[in-house]
Amino acid sequence: MRDLKGMRRFTHLACTWLITGLGVWGLARFFSSLDLDYGRHYLVFVALGVAAGWLAVNFPHGQLSGGFALVLAAYILFGAPAAAWTGALATLFSQGFLPRGDPLRTVFYNAAQHVLAVIAGNFVFLRVAGAAGSRISPGLAAGLLAFSGTYFVVNHLLVSLYVAPRRSHHPLLGWWDAFRWDGLTCLFSIPTGMLMAFLYREAGLSGLVLLFLPVLVVQFVLRLYVHMELANRELLALYHVARGLGQRLDVQAILDLVLKETRRVVSYHSAVIYLWSADGRCLEARAAAGPFREKLCGSVVFPEESFTGWVLESGEPEIVYDVREEPRLRQEPGLFQVLRSLMVIPLLADTRKLGVLVIGDKRPFAFYENHLHTISVICGQAAVAIANTILMERLVESANTDGLTGIYNHRYFTYRADLEYRRTREAGLPLALIMLDVDNFKLINDRFGHVAGDAVLVELAGLLRDAVGEAGVVCRYGGEEFAVLLPGCDAARAGALAGELRRLVREHQFAVEGMPRQVRISLGVASCPRDALDVTTLVQRADQALYGAKKAGKDRVVLYEQLVELPREWEVRNEK
């Protein structure tokens, strides 16, 4: 894969310098054909071209400029050599020698592709118009249209070739956008260029300059329009985020949504979202995207030792244009060592610091301030949604959790039993229930006090929860009675697990007033569909089995199917 990418990079670089070399060759061939008597006029064309370059609409797939009107006017008035030289010099001055930030390779390429577009257009013009002369005629008009169309196609193809490796890095703009806007600019420039040539012959340079001023105004308006459309697309991305966050999502779904919708604004190589863990006093990677996703998920960052933690503490988003030029990141591990550009945005909800979003790319200067602003807005929306979701989860957890033991309460048992019954019935699986009770618990309370009794229940609940694990759901049914739901488990397996629980409790030393004490439990087991066909009956059957264990001497496991005959007083108890 690396060899393939390296080959593509080498091929693109070779094509870039080949086109640049061909452009220089074309200028050298044209130089001898220039009429230097019009040197002052050429300089005016160059100056107007530089002005058009200042107001050019820059976007990732190139730039939009009314400079083609000058190219066409120069071609009509002075021929291909003047059109090529004035356009190339205007490009070099406007993009290379003025503070625009373009690399020299890009500047030279843009000047060269302009020269090649003029050469191609001139070739097609000569084939279409032939010796049409300078007088206005259908042949001359057809030739100029052919020149303009060829220039547009060649120019667009060469620019697309140059920006091809970067096109996927700009999700807000596509190839069709560049083609559409460039085509509209060309359609406006063709009649303008022809009119400029006519006014130059009638009124000289002053007429040409006066006509070009409205061109600059139109170009400025076009620039505002393009920026407005890009802003609308960013707002559309924000709308998608807001609509997604408006749904009832869990925290993980919100994080995945943020990573997905962020790509609508800016493309990136890798991204990771860290959330603050109060237990571990660290930032845990909860969601990631990109080639390093598996390595990033589950990783932790300690805030006092990292740039990420510093951003979270400061509460201000940071953009790093080039990691290699940032001294604060030289010792930073992880993404900071493999990526060149980074955006680090804190997730803040009011005064709560929830986490950090880190976005990176292997290209330097891949992100800009407008990206940082838009992503910060997305993170602000996501942070509020995460905070609300966490609060809701805590409220639900509090409502479903027993305040003493920390395990699920009777309310949650009722809900979960109905849910598991429906699920296992649809899947054709059994559902088992273990009801257990602490033997002689009243004696513990009477002898050692209710505080000691509560401590025994807390310790017992933790023992049961750890022993059952993911196999079932442990709940406090009421008082000293507990219930264990076992989805997909039949009565035999549930009975075996009940025996194991009984053994663990017998061997465990409970701390009662600082002294180790033994506790005994009795357990009853029933299952669906063998012993019951609904949840209510299942609970009754398990409770009857538990009562059977109590009657048989306590400290034992009884399955409902083992009960042969129930005493009359037991039946009366269950009827009540």
Side-chain angles (χ1 to χ4, degrees), residues 188-241:
F188 169 75
S189 300
I190 290 174
T192 304
M194 293 180 179
L195 187 58
M196 288 173 64
F198 173 78
L199 287 179
Y200 173 84
R201 289 173 176 171
E202 296 296 327
L205 287 174
S206 59
L208 182 142
V209 172
L210 288 176
L211 181 59
F212 192 69
L213 291 178
V215 174
L216 296 179
V217 173
V218 172
Q219 185 174 315
F220 180 75
V221 173
L222 178 62
R223 182 176 184 174
L224 295 178
Y225 167 77
V226 172
H227 290 170
M228 181 181 65
E229 185 162 339
L230 292 178
N232 288 339
R233 295 186 184 187
E234 291 182 355
L235 291 176
L236 181 62
L238 296 178
Y239 164 74
H240 284 289
V241 174

